Amino acid sequence: MKWWPVENFWQKYGAAIFIVALFCVFRLPLLGNMYHQDEYKWAQIVDPYFNQMGQIPHPPLAEVTYHYFGQVFGYLHLRIVPFIFSLAILWLLYKVVSNEFEKRAALVATFLYAIIPYAVMASIQIDIDGAILPFFVILTVFCWRIYL
């Protein structure tokens, strides 16, 4: 018996690793983009320097998340927040589809999520609708399926 059976590893996890790598290849270069019209407003509102907390007309979860992330990593790196939520969406999408159908269908669903242009744009967009809201929607479906 080999210490690390490489053939079995790539057969079992190769497609998933490829999809995560593809997901990152499409999104990581975009994390450094400048903030656009509404995005700079989010960054300005959550930055305590401007003293505008509570100005966003949405529930406070996204505002608080961006605020605390900005305190730790800086307010110029807020695009990482939706990227992290999108990675969680990728995993939850795989789990939900594989529990409902089969592994191959889950791989196709995650592959499509990794390459669809709107999903790429939404996963780096600083707002609540791009990655945070879909994360909680798919998390709700995931928890509902566990409950049943």
Side-chain angles (χ1 to χ4, degrees), residues 21-34 79 83 120 124:
L22 192 63
F23 178 89
C24 292
V25 162
F26 279 128
R27 288 158 176 84
L28 286 178
L30 303 174
L31 291 179
N33 284 359
M34 64 180 214
R79 288 192 190 275
F83 176 75
V120 173
I124 60 151

Side-chain angles (χ1 to χ4, degrees), residues 65-115:
T65 303
Y66 286 123
H67 173 73
Y68 286 119
F69 185 87
Q71 282 186 339
V72 174
F73 296 103
Y75 293 96
L76 296 177
H77 306 290
L78 293 180
R79 288 192 190 275
I80 296 173
V81 173
F83 176 75
I84 292 169
F85 275 100
S86 295
L87 273 174
I89 290 171
L90 188 72
W91 180 78
L92 284 171
L93 180 65
Y94 178 81
K95 295 301 280 182
V96 167
V97 175
S98 66
N99 287 341
E100 190 67 30
F101 300 105
E102 60 182 16
K103 181 182 176 184
R104 189 169 45 185
L107 290 174
V108 168
T110 54
F111 174 76
L112 290 174
Y113 179 71
I115 65 168

Side-chain angles (χ1 to χ4, degrees), residues 129-148:
D129 303 328
I132 296 175
L133 183 64
F135 168 76
F136 284 106
V137 169
I138 198 163
L139 181 65
T140 303
V141 171
F142 178 73
C143 293
W144 177 68
R145 293 302 300 159
I146 288 175
Y147 177 73
L148 293 179

Side-chain angles (χ1 to χ4, degrees), residues 11-64:
Q11 279 182 329
K12 190 172 183 180
Y13 301 111
I17 291 172
F18 172 75
I19 290 170
V20 171
L22 192 63
F23 178 89
C24 292
V25 162
F26 279 128
R27 288 158 176 84
L28 286 178
L30 303 174
L31 291 179
N33 284 359
M34 64 180 214
Y35 295 156
H36 298 290
Q37 184 178 2
D38 286 343
E39 293 176 323
Y40 83 88
K41 292 177 187 174
W42 277 83
Q44 184 178 5
I45 289 171
V46 300
D47 191 343
Y49 176 78
F50 296 103
N51 194 22
Q52 294 181 358
M53 285 294 286
Q55 299 289 328
I56 296 176
H58 294 290
L61 176 67
E63 187 173 347
V64 170

